Amino acid sequence: MRITDLLALSHVPRWVNVRHQPPQSVADHSFRVASIYVELCSRLKKDISLSGLTWALFHDGLEGYTGDIPADFKETIREEVAEAERKLGVVLAEPPPEADLKLVKLADRIETYTYISACGIGPHAKRVEAICYQQLQEKAGEWWSIVKLLCIDI
């Protein structure tokens, strides 16, 4: 993957199936995930790993070629996504250790929920927000009280 492909993520819109304002790009989402990852590590008193931070920044690199892929759908085609990433050379680094990967995925869910709760418009966006909240709560597990406060602060 070339630097120009990564920079193009600033032109790839997210939330193509949910009304929202202002628009959000995949690059904006990725930066917010990385920022939330750093804050989450701080609140959980965990070290910020370079591999975790790198993964947070580039976790949606494939979307520079495909456009936004909703997380739930991406999960159902996980093997195909991994194969496409390998073929296109999108994977810029090995995934971080499992503990860091868990925090990055949690930061991704926090970003998704906080963005759509603040910027979603209409009844469909409200349904999506409720689904995101439920998924976030499940993903947070034992860290729910800390995650809930972080969501309030965002």
Side-chain angles (χ1 to χ4, degrees), residues 95-147:
E98 190 59 37
D100 293 320
L101 187 59
K102 182 177 179 180
L103 290 174
V104 172
K105 288 181 176 184
L106 183 55
D108 191 15
R109 290 293 180 165
I110 292 169
E111 196 289 323
T112 298
Y113 168 71
T114 56
Y115 182 84
I116 204 59
S117 67
C119 302
I121 300 170
H124 178 63
K126 283 293 178 202
R127 284 192 299 277
V128 170
E129 177 186 343
I131 291 166
C132 289
Y133 185 84
Q134 179 184 357
Q135 291 172 340
L136 175 58
Q137 199 170 15
E138 291 167 5
K139 180 85 62 185
E142 64 186 286
W143 299 325
W144 175 240
S145 59
I146 292 169
V147 167

Side-chain angles (χ1 to χ4, degrees), residues 31-154:
F31 176 79
R32 289 171 51 97
V33 170
S35 300
I36 292 167
Y37 168 75
V38 168
E39 181 65 20
L40 191 56
C41 287
S42 174
R43 291 186 185 209
L44 293 172
K45 306 207 180 332
K46 308 257 184 209
D47 291 333
I48 298 164
S49 79
L50 180 58
S51 63
L53 189 57
T54 302
W55 197 258
L57 284 170
F58 302 127
H59 73 282
D60 282 338
L62 180 65
E63 294 179 4
Y65 297 103
T66 64
D68 185 36
I69 306 171
D72 291 343
F73 179 69
K74 194 186 296 186
E75 189 61 31
T76 65
I77 59 168
R78 183 177 342 144
E79 290 176 20
E80 291 85 351
V81 167
E83 180 64 20
E85 287 174 334
R86 275 191 298 279
K87 283 183 177 177
L88 293 170
V90 173
V91 179
L92 300 175
E94 289 298 312
E98 190 59 37
D100 293 320
L101 187 59
K102 182 177 179 180
L103 290 174
V104 172
K105 288 181 176 184
L106 183 55
D108 191 15
R109 290 293 180 165
I110 292 169
E111 196 289 323
T112 298
Y113 168 71
T114 56
Y115 182 84
I116 204 59
S117 67
C119 302
I121 300 170
H124 178 63
K126 283 293 178 202
R127 284 192 299 277
V128 170
E129 177 186 343
I131 291 166
C132 289
Y133 185 84
Q134 179 184 357
Q135 291 172 340
L136 175 58
Q137 199 170 15
E138 291 167 5
K139 180 85 62 185
E142 64 186 286
W143 299 325
W144 175 240
S145 59
I146 292 169
V147 167
K148 193 171 166 182
L149 291 175
L150 177 55
C151 288
I152 291 168
D153 290 345
I154 292 178

Side-chain angles (χ1 to χ4, degrees), residues 20-35:
H20 62 284
Q21 190 63 30
Q24 184 184 41
S25 70
V26 173
D28 178 55
H29 162 72
S30 296
F31 176 79
R32 289 171 51 97
V33 170
S35 300

